[in-house]
Amino acid sequence: MLSADETYASLAGAWRLMLGKADGLRLLDLSADGFWNSFFAIVVAAPALIVGWVGIANEIGDPNAFAGRFSMLLRLATVDIGSWVLPLVGLALVAPRLGLGGRFVHYVVASNWASAIIAWLMLPSALIRLFLPSDEVSGLVSLLLFALSMVLTWRMTNAVFGRGAAVGTAVFAGMFVASLAVLFGLQALLGITIPTSIES
């Protein structure tokens, strides 16, 4: 487990990258240990993610059966973690062929910590859904925060690769499409049907 100082430095580095500042890489541990330790970001993000899973499970799970809601929560967790990790596995396979292998570790480490920040950034919309059910308010807040997260992720990607907006945008778009493919694929595989009003 990472120390509090190491976790803070990693989050600070990712945040600087999300602001488009390439010097954020200096705060990240880009060693082999740092690569694997960056997946600790999933643990950092877990509390915020759980709030979202609980809110959705309460809406689409069996309201009269705790076991049904808990099963739905576990399936939602599987979908989110899969959508986080599997696109990175795909990138590992294609990055060398695309000439991006030299920055693969940098991207994974930065992306993992940035994803933890985004999970907490999205927390307000999850709390609204959980405590103040309102399709209009929750949907609007979710949309605004999602748009902000996309901008920050795009800037992080550009800063990490440092090869111009075209390359950064191509990687960003590819990873976004891969994440959506995994998301919808796992939802279908696990029998999760989320109404449009909840997904928004």
Side-chain angles (χ1 to χ4, degrees):
M1 180 179 292
L2 294 180
S3 69
D5 287 343
E6 290 171 321
T7 301
Y8 175 80
S10 298
L11 291 170
W15 179 246
R16 289 191 65 79
L17 289 167
M18 293 167 81
L19 296 178
K21 299 177 180 179
D23 62 358
L25 286 171
R26 293 203 294 266
L27 295 173
L28 301 179
D29 182 355
L30 302 175
S31 66
D33 285 342
F35 174 86
W36 294 112
N37 287 340
S38 71
F39 288 93
F40 181 71
I42 296 174
V43 177
V44 174
L49 292 174
I50 289 171
V51 173
W53 299 335
V54 169
I56 296 175
N58 284 343
E59 293 191 38
I60 66 176
D62 184 348
N64 299 315
F66 171 79
R69 292 197 301 273
F70 184 69
S71 171
M72 179 59 67
L73 188 147
L74 291 179
R75 284 182 281 165
L76 290 168
T78 300
V79 169
D80 269 4
I81 301 304
S83 300
W84 182 321
V85 174
L86 293 180
L88 297 176
V89 175
L91 181 62
L93 298 176
V94 302
R97 296 178 176 84
L98 299 176
L100 303 174
R103 286 279 169 159
F104 171 72
V105 170
H106 302 62
Y107 177 79
V108 171
V109 173
S111 177
N112 280 336
W113 291 112
S115 294
I117 293 173
I118 288 172
W120 285 97
L121 179 68
M122 298 299 295
L123 181 60
S125 65
L127 289 172
I128 292 173
R129 179 184 297 125
L130 187 62
F131 295 111
L132 299 171
S134 170
D135 290 343
E136 294 77 11
V137 175
S138 177
L140 178 59
V141 173
S142 295
L143 181 61
L144 292 175
L145 292 178
F146 176 75
L148 176 60
S149 72
M150 290 296 97
V151 171
L152 293 173
T153 302
W154 177 79
R155 296 186 73 174
M156 179 274 294
T157 305
N158 278 320
V160 167
F161 285 99
R163 293 175 56 180
V167 172
T169 300
V171 175
F172 167 79
M175 294 300 289
F176 180 67
V177 170
S179 295
L180 288 180
V182 172
L183 175 72
F184 293 131
L186 287 177
Q187 284 181 351
L189 183 65
L190 297 175
I192 300 174
T193 302
I194 300 180
T196 303
S197 60
I198 296 178
E199 286 184 319
S200 62

